[in-house]
């Protein structure tokens, strides 16, 4: 009941938060552990080094009602490690918390728009623990995403808006960190803007479901990979 009261109070404050926020996040792969790492290392040690050397940078622009989360670029921990060819199929994700929709636009198919009903992370529970991220004190929450995966979210009450990276939202403060089975996301830069920025949602004559959009994008990605393998090396 105490948390519910706090949640309602902060939700009210969020509607009065007359600013937008620009956040840059770093996204790290976490699947290269245990058996996964050993299996890939047995096939290609170079590939493991490449995966572990890379991380991705994303940008979030958000207000109390909408957000836009987009891929920016691949980053490298060590510039001396060979980079090889990196293929990314990242979606720009839009949240409309007023109309309750989530939109995806894949970078490989910019002319198609995926849209589904926005599903809140299930069973958020505030947990013991605090972490400082990008200069902000963050509290810990645990939940289950719409795909059934458990996640840990770190949110700050200093910015009382219920947004975060990708489609992680619904906590009484901006989410600056996410830990999951396959990836970790942490903010490294937070900028409070002086005014509310309107974020336009994608418009299409026909919307695909997110599953249909993802399946089509994956098929296209695999076709690109096969063509690249057949092309003669220069």
């Amino acid at each position: 009941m105490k948390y519910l009261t706090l949640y309602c109070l902060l939700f009210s404050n969020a509607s009065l938060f007359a600013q937008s926020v620009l956040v840059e996040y770093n996204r790290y792969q976490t699947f290269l552990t245990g058996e996964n790492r050993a299996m890939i290392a047995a096939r290609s040690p170079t590939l493991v080094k490449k995966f572990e050397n890379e991380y991705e940078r994303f940008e979030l622009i958000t207000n109390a009602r909408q957000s836009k989360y987009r891929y920016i670029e691949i980053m490298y921990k060590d510039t001396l490690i060979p980079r090889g060819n990196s293929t990314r199929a990242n979606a720009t994700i839009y949240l409309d918390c007023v109309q309750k929709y989530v939109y995806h636009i894949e970078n490989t198919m910019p002319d198609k728009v995926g849209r589904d009903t926005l599903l809140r992370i299930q069973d958020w529970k505030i947990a013991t623990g605090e972490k400082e991220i990008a200069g902000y004190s963050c509290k810990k929450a645990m939940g289950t995403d719409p795909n059934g995966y458990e996640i840990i979210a770190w949110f700050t009450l200093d910015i009382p808006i219920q947004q975060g990276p990708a489609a992680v939202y619904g906590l009484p403060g901006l989410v600056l960190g996410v830990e999951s089975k396959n990836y970790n996301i942490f903010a490294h830069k937070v900028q409070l803007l002086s005014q509310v920025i309107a974020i336009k949602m994608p418009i299409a004559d026909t919307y695909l479901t997110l599953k249909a959009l993802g399946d089509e994008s994956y098929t296209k990605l695999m076709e690109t990979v096969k063509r690249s393998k057949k092309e003669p090396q220069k």
Side-chain angles (χ1 to χ4, degrees):
M1 181 60 70
K2 289 182 179 179
Y3 176 66
L4 179 61
T5 302
L6 175 64
Y7 180 87
C8 293
L9 176 62
L10 288 170
F11 182 80
S12 175
N13 290 343
S15 65
L16 300 175
F17 191 76
Q19 286 179 286
S20 289
V21 184
L22 182 66
V23 187
E24 288 187 2
Y25 293 89
N26 292 331
R27 183 181 187 274
Y28 304 91
Q29 302 287 355
T30 58
F31 66 89
L32 283 180
T33 58
E35 293 182 0
N36 285 338
R37 190 182 190 284
M39 180 180 64
I40 297 175
R43 296 179 180 179
S44 175
T46 302
L47 188 60
V48 169
K49 287 185 178 180
K50 173 181 172 296
F51 276 134
E52 293 181 335
N53 188 48
E54 293 181 354
Y55 62 99
E56 298 164 301
R57 182 153 292 171
F58 286 78
E59 177 187 85
L60 175 74
I61 177 85
T62 178
N63 53 49
R65 297 184 176 185
Q66 296 92 17
S67 69
K68 178 182 179 181
Y69 180 72
R70 70 183 185 93
Y71 166 79
I72 299 177
E73 61 182 333
I74 302 174
M75 306 294 291
Y76 302 94
K77 300 173 187 176
D78 186 347
T79 58
L80 298 179
I81 294 178
R83 300 182 181 182
N85 295 321
S86 296
T87 303
R88 292 292 186 272
N90 290 297
T92 298
I93 302 174
Y94 297 79
L95 298 189
D96 187 338
C97 295
V98 177
Q99 299 298 323
K100 303 299 182 184
Y101 283 120
V102 55
Y103 300 83
H104 283 204
I105 297 180
E106 297 282 352
N107 61 356
T108 56
M109 301 184 302
D111 58 331
K112 297 187 178 183
V113 180
R115 186 182 76 175
D116 274 348
T117 301
L118 182 57
L119 298 177
R120 186 179 296 276
I121 300 294
Q122 299 298 310
D123 302 324
W124 277 128
K125 292 181 176 64
I126 304 303
T128 301
E130 294 188 358
K131 185 188 294 285
E132 182 173 316
I133 302 175
Y136 287 86
S137 177
C138 296
K139 296 185 178 298
K140 182 179 181 180
M142 303 181 70
T144 304
D145 71 13
N147 295 317
Y149 295 108
E150 292 184 355
I151 65 170
I152 295 173
W154 299 92
F155 66 96
T156 178
L157 298 177
D158 294 333
I159 306 177
I161 58 177
Q162 302 178 52
Q163 305 285 346
V168 179
Y169 83 110
L171 285 162
L174 183 64
V175 175
L176 297 182
V178 178
E179 298 177 45
S180 73
K181 178 180 179 181
N182 294 319
Y183 62 86
N184 291 337
I185 301 174
F186 290 105
H188 81 98
K189 180 180 179 182
V190 179
Q191 181 180 358
L192 301 181
L193 305 179
S194 59
Q195 59 185 352
V196 175
I197 304 297
I199 301 172
K200 294 182 179 180
M201 298 295 106
I203 297 175
D205 293 332
T206 302
Y207 295 99
L208 301 175
T209 65
L210 298 190
K211 183 181 185 307
L213 182 71
D215 290 345
E216 192 169 334
S217 176
Y218 180 78
T219 298
K220 188 171 182 178
L221 176 62
M222 290 300 99
E223 291 173 352
T224 301
V225 171
K226 289 178 181 178
R227 284 198 301 269
S228 66
K229 289 182 177 180
K230 292 180 180 179
E231 291 176 356
Q233 298 295 321
K234 297 182 180 180

